[in-house]
Amino acid sequence: MPGWLRDTVFYEVYPSSFRDSNGDGIGDINGIIEKLDYIKSLGCGALWINPVFDSPFRDGGYDVRDYKKVAERFGTNEDLVNLFNEAHSRGMKILLDLVPGHTSDEHPWFKASCRQEKNEYSGRYVWTSHAFEGIPGHPYISGTTDREGAYMLNFFAFQPALNYGWLNRTEKWMSAPDSEEAVSTREALKDIMRFWLDQGCDGFRVDMADSLVKNDDDRKSATAAVWREIREMMDRDYPEAALVSEWSNPVQALNGAGFHMDFYLDHLHNGYNTLLRDYEAGGEDNSFFRKKGKGDITRFLDDYMPKYRASRGQGYISMFTCNHDTYRPARTLSEKELKLAYAFILTMPGVPFIYYGDEIGMKYRDLPTKEGGYHRTGTRTPMQWDHSEHMGFSDNPEAEPYLPLPDEENAVTVEDQLNQPHSLLNTVKELIVLRHRYKYLQADALFEPVNPGKEKMPFVYRRGSLILAVNPSGKRQRVENSVFEDRTIIYKIGKAAIDGSDLIIDAQSFMICK
Ligand code: GLC
Ligand code: CA
């Protein structure tokens, strides 16, 4: 386990929207380099960057055409290596985004695979043996290629599934996970990883990590076996490099597949969702951190605790403020609500991720789809640095920014919030400073709910020897518990005081005591 994960807060960058260094209106790698000091000043020690590889960008770069070449719009391979070096010189790490389950239909492997004559890539993707024969239970396309067969899709129509084999095989054309073609896909994946790791990359966020072997069992044991083999390679050759999975099943991803971290994704009504985004279109928002939410932390704990207990010591659950697929939390949460939500996320075990712009409460915007973003497009708008041209995203007044910037005069910016002592941005910084200062707030220290219960406010929890409390409700609360005796408050948002064994905590407040 790479030791640096114990005390790291990550920052996710959507590269098209972070900072345009050459004035063409699209964010780029040199733009990220320009802003490394800013990211470091937040207290974040590592970045996850969404795909920067050559791609037709029909799914934001998750449709890779060349895994080993940086997309021209972002710069060159040299620029990327330079980013690794610039990060390392500041003590920071860079994770790239690895898409192992599918490529773009423009990838040369796929083009070769579409040919009827047998060739090196005929078995690289999942194909049936007849044009009229589909893939039971899975999306597929047929009738568009010279090759006699249908190919399987892993996501959108232009993202054919790579062939890692099938665990339960019902058709002749289904490869076994240890067949020559499945093994060669696996080797190709390792080769891509080595290519970037050898040049200084510090690991990968792995896209749809659970999607490799098809018709896998309930434990995903065959897919896990592929990752276990990769973990062995990492342990042996790149012991400081880290892997975080898009899986959202820590028992499978951490205990089974050997990932170092697994994202707790926003899925309607799962534990994480009840904290920040507990709403359906047109429905009521009952998120725990809403002042008007129903205040029921058990909806989170009932889902989280079994997963946390079962995976503790195996790897880390990663909670995020948001990601490039998810509505920004500021879509429904006010600045005060965001402060409490972030205070919680940044004091939980595991390895937290901040999505660019969430530290200033950038809004979700209703925008027409761009590059396969659909409703996700509104979460991917340019970073709002200041009130200059294009809000500091691009210095070229003629450039058309990747996505529109807001026109409201009071739109949030980094510059404004740096100057306001109690801004969301400065609160985030304070919280990360505390996390670095107290090992009990970091990845490993035990998390225990002290007073879980429906509509019990505040929610009190323990991290190691520290006691924390959060009261998202609109009412001042007084709670009696012996855990508060003889303690001193070391940090608060809003107002809180200890009186004997009572904690008195104002509406929408948070505190940590030791
Ligand atoms: C993951 C990515 C998402 C992408 C999809 C297909 O969910 O996060 O952005 O569209 O995989 O690669
Ligand atoms: Ca640019």
Side-chain angles (χ1 to χ4, degrees), residues 277-312:
R277 297 179 191 82
D278 195 21
Y279 50 79
E280 286 173 74
E284 236 184 294
D285 182 355
N286 289 320
S287 303
F288 180 72
F289 288 105
R290 287 301 307 273
K291 189 171 155 192
K292 293 200 173 78
K294 297 254 164 74
D296 185 0
I297 195 68
T298 62
R299 292 176 306 158
F300 166 74
L301 294 172
D302 289 350
D303 183 40
Y304 175 79
M305 289 311 289
K307 293 175 176 163
Y308 168 64
R309 289 199 184 105
S311 62
R312 189 158 186 262

Side-chain angles (χ1 to χ4, degrees), residues 434-445 463:
L434 284 167
R435 194 173 169 106
H436 293 318
R437 184 177 306 153
Y438 293 97
K439 76 167 188 295
Y440 291 134
L441 296 178
Q442 297 167 10
D444 288 320
R463 290 296 318 280

Side-chain angles (χ1 to χ4, degrees), residues 154-170:
N154 219 33
F155 202 67
F156 287 146
F158 44 81
Q159 288 161 320
L162 285 160
N163 185 16
Y164 293 87
W166 296 65
L167 181 62
N168 295 307
R169 296 179 291 285
T170 54

Side-chain angles (χ1 to χ4, degrees), residues 371-382:
E371 298 188 331
Y374 300 99
H375 64 281
R376 307 174 296 184
T377 305
T379 294
R380 302 175 176 182
T381 57

Side-chain angles (χ1 to χ4, degrees), residues 12 14 48 50-51 59-63 97 99 102 154-156 159 205-208 246 265 323-325 372 376 380:
E12 179 191 347
Y14 194 73
W48 153 33
N50 295 108
D59 180 17
Y62 286 94
D63 45 337
D97 209 317
V99 188
H102 50 270
N154 219 33
F155 202 67
F156 287 146
Q159 288 161 320
R205 173 268 186 184
V206 179
D207 187 71
M208 294 176 63
E246 183 191 36
L265 299 174
N323 72 13
H324 62 290
D325 293 330
R376 307 174 296 184
R380 302 175 176 182

Side-chain angles (χ1 to χ4, degrees), residues 39 148 161 209 221 251 301 396:
I39 297 169
E148 170 86 37
S221 63
V251 172
L301 294 172
N396 176 7

